[in-house]
PDB file of all heavy atoms in Angstrom:
ATOM      1  N   GLY A 174      14.081  32.542 -76.466  1.00  0.00           N
ATOM      2  CA  GLY A 174      13.483  33.870 -76.634  1.00  0.00           C
ATOM      3  C   GLY A 174      12.087  33.851 -77.192  1.00  0.00           C
ATOM      4  O   GLY A 174      11.639  34.843 -77.798  1.00  0.00           O
ATOM      5  N   GLN A 175      11.378  32.768 -76.986  1.00  0.00           N
ATOM      6  CA  GLN A 175      10.046  32.631 -77.581  1.00  0.00           C
ATOM      7  C   GLN A 175       9.061  33.653 -77.018  1.00  0.00           C
ATOM      8  O   GLN A 175       8.290  34.274 -77.753  1.00  0.00           O
ATOM      9  CB  GLN A 175       9.533  31.211 -77.343  1.00  0.00           C
ATOM     10  CG  GLN A 175       8.256  30.881 -78.092  1.00  0.00           C
ATOM     11  CD  GLN A 175       7.893  29.417 -77.962  1.00  0.00           C
ATOM     12  OE1 GLN A 175       8.514  28.697 -77.174  1.00  0.00           O
ATOM     13  NE2 GLN A 175       6.934  28.971 -78.722  1.00  0.00           N
ATOM     14  N   ARG A 176       9.097  33.918 -75.691  1.00  0.00           N
ATOM     15  CA  ARG A 176       8.159  34.865 -75.089  1.00  0.00           C
ATOM     16  C   ARG A 176       8.480  36.299 -75.497  1.00  0.00           C
ATOM     17  O   ARG A 176       7.577  37.109 -75.709  1.00  0.00           O
ATOM     18  CB  ARG A 176       8.187  34.724 -73.569  1.00  0.00           C
ATOM     19  CG  ARG A 176       7.660  33.375 -73.075  1.00  0.00           C
ATOM     20  CD  ARG A 176       7.613  33.330 -71.566  1.00  0.00           C
ATOM     21  NE  ARG A 176       7.079  32.058 -71.089  1.00  0.00           N
ATOM     22  CZ  ARG A 176       6.925  31.755 -69.808  1.00  0.00           C
ATOM     23  NH1 ARG A 176       7.281  32.643 -68.851  1.00  0.00           N
ATOM     24  NH2 ARG A 176       6.427  30.585 -69.460  1.00  0.00           N
ATOM     25  N   ILE A 177       9.778  36.608 -75.614  1.00  0.00           N
ATOM     26  CA  ILE A 177      10.156  37.952 -76.051  1.00  0.00           C
ATOM     27  C   ILE A 177       9.670  38.200 -77.477  1.00  0.00           C
ATOM     28  O   ILE A 177       9.132  39.269 -77.801  1.00  0.00           O
ATOM     29  CB  ILE A 177      11.678  38.131 -75.954  1.00  0.00           C
ATOM     30  CG1 ILE A 177      12.125  37.988 -74.493  1.00  0.00           C
ATOM     31  CG2 ILE A 177      12.108  39.478 -76.518  1.00  0.00           C
ATOM     32  CD1 ILE A 177      13.622  38.041 -74.309  1.00  0.00           C
ATOM     33  N   ALA A 178       9.846  37.220 -78.337  1.00  0.00           N
ATOM     34  CA  ALA A 178       9.384  37.356 -79.715  1.00  0.00           C
ATOM     35  C   ALA A 178       7.868  37.489 -79.769  1.00  0.00           C
ATOM     36  O   ALA A 178       7.327  38.282 -80.555  1.00  0.00           O
ATOM     37  CB  ALA A 178       9.837  36.158 -80.533  1.00  0.00           C
ATOM     38  N   LEU A 179       7.171  36.735 -78.924  1.00  0.00           N
ATOM     39  CA  LEU A 179       5.723  36.841 -78.885  1.00  0.00           C
ATOM     40  C   LEU A 179       5.281  38.227 -78.425  1.00  0.00           C
ATOM     41  O   LEU A 179       4.348  38.817 -78.998  1.00  0.00           O
ATOM     42  CB  LEU A 179       5.153  35.763 -77.955  1.00  0.00           C
ATOM     43  CG  LEU A 179       3.631  35.764 -77.776  1.00  0.00           C
ATOM     44  CD1 LEU A 179       2.934  35.524 -79.107  1.00  0.00           C
ATOM     45  CD2 LEU A 179       3.215  34.699 -76.759  1.00  0.00           C
ATOM     46  N   GLY A 180       5.950  38.769 -77.405  1.00  0.00           N
ATOM     47  CA  GLY A 180       5.614  40.114 -76.943  1.00  0.00           C
ATOM     48  C   GLY A 180       5.830  41.163 -78.023  1.00  0.00           C
ATOM     49  O   GLY A 180       5.022  42.079 -78.199  1.00  0.00           O
ATOM     50  N   GLY A 181       6.952  41.041 -78.773  1.00  0.00           N
ATOM     51  CA  GLY A 181       7.206  41.971 -79.862  1.00  0.00           C
ATOM     52  C   GLY A 181       6.143  41.901 -80.940  1.00  0.00           C
ATOM     53  O   GLY A 181       5.720  42.928 -81.482  1.00  0.00           O
ATOM     54  N   MET A 182       5.710  40.703 -81.264  1.00  0.00           N
ATOM     55  CA  MET A 182       4.664  40.548 -82.275  1.00  0.00           C
ATOM     56  C   MET A 182       3.343  41.146 -81.807  1.00  0.00           C
ATOM     57  O   MET A 182       2.612  41.769 -82.587  1.00  0.00           O
ATOM     58  CB  MET A 182       4.481  39.067 -82.611  1.00  0.00           C
ATOM     59  CG  MET A 182       5.653  38.446 -83.338  1.00  0.00           C
ATOM     60  SD  MET A 182       5.398  36.693 -83.703  1.00  0.00           S
ATOM     61  CE  MET A 182       3.935  36.787 -84.750  1.00  0.00           C
ATOM     62  N   VAL A 183       3.021  40.994 -80.511  1.00  0.00           N
ATOM     63  CA  VAL A 183       1.781  41.568 -79.984  1.00  0.00           C
ATOM     64  C   VAL A 183       1.823  43.093 -80.049  1.00  0.00           C
ATOM     65  O   VAL A 183       0.849  43.748 -80.453  1.00  0.00           O
ATOM     66  CB  VAL A 183       1.550  41.077 -78.543  1.00  0.00           C
ATOM     67  CG1 VAL A 183       0.393  41.838 -77.898  1.00  0.00           C
ATOM     68  CG2 VAL A 183       1.255  39.580 -78.531  1.00  0.00           C
ATOM     69  N   LEU A 184       2.965  43.689 -79.668  1.00  0.00           N
ATOM     70  CA  LEU A 184       3.092  45.144 -79.735  1.00  0.00           C
ATOM     71  C   LEU A 184       2.998  45.642 -81.175  1.00  0.00           C
ATOM     72  O   LEU A 184       2.370  46.671 -81.455  1.00  0.00           O
ATOM     73  CB  LEU A 184       4.412  45.576 -79.105  1.00  0.00           C
ATOM     74  CG  LEU A 184       4.542  45.363 -77.590  1.00  0.00           C
ATOM     75  CD1 LEU A 184       5.933  45.750 -77.118  1.00  0.00           C
ATOM     76  CD2 LEU A 184       3.476  46.162 -76.834  1.00  0.00           C
ATOM     77  N   ALA A 185       3.624  44.940 -82.091  1.00  0.00           N
ATOM     78  CA  ALA A 185       3.537  45.335 -83.498  1.00  0.00           C
ATOM     79  C   ALA A 185       2.117  45.245 -84.012  1.00  0.00           C
ATOM     80  O   ALA A 185       1.651  46.111 -84.771  1.00  0.00           O
ATOM     81  CB  ALA A 185       4.466  44.460 -84.327  1.00  0.00           C
ATOM     82  N   LEU A 186       1.389  44.220 -83.587  1.00  0.00           N
ATOM     83  CA  LEU A 186       0.004  44.071 -84.016  1.00  0.00           C
ATOM     84  C   LEU A 186      -0.873  45.181 -83.448  1.00  0.00           C
ATOM     85  O   LEU A 186      -1.755  45.716 -84.139  1.00  0.00           O
ATOM     86  CB  LEU A 186      -0.519  42.696 -83.576  1.00  0.00           C
ATOM     87  CG  LEU A 186      -1.949  42.343 -83.995  1.00  0.00           C
ATOM     88  CD1 LEU A 186      -2.069  42.362 -85.515  1.00  0.00           C
ATOM     89  CD2 LEU A 186      -2.348  40.980 -83.446  1.00  0.00           C
ATOM     90  N   ILE A 187      -0.634  45.561 -82.186  1.00  0.00           N
ATOM     91  CA  ILE A 187      -1.399  46.662 -81.592  1.00  0.00           C
ATOM     92  C   ILE A 187      -1.138  47.962 -82.351  1.00  0.00           C
ATOM     93  O   ILE A 187      -2.055  48.743 -82.642  1.00  0.00           O
ATOM     94  CB  ILE A 187      -1.039  46.803 -80.103  1.00  0.00           C
ATOM     95  CG1 ILE A 187      -1.541  45.585 -79.319  1.00  0.00           C
ATOM     96  CG2 ILE A 187      -1.637  48.084 -79.523  1.00  0.00           C
ATOM     97  CD1 ILE A 187      -1.109  45.583 -77.875  1.00  0.00           C
ATOM     98  N   GLY A 188       0.127  48.216 -82.709  1.00  0.00           N
ATOM     99  CA  GLY A 188       0.445  49.408 -83.482  1.00  0.00           C
ATOM    100  C   GLY A 188      -0.216  49.404 -84.845  1.00  0.00           C
ATOM    101  O   GLY A 188      -0.709  50.428 -85.323  1.00  0.00           O
TER     102      GLY A 188
END
Side-chain angles (χ1 to χ4, degrees):
Q175 189 173 9
R176 294 184 179 180
I177 298 175
L179 178 61
M182 292 180 61
V183 171
L184 293 176
L186 182 60
I187 292 174

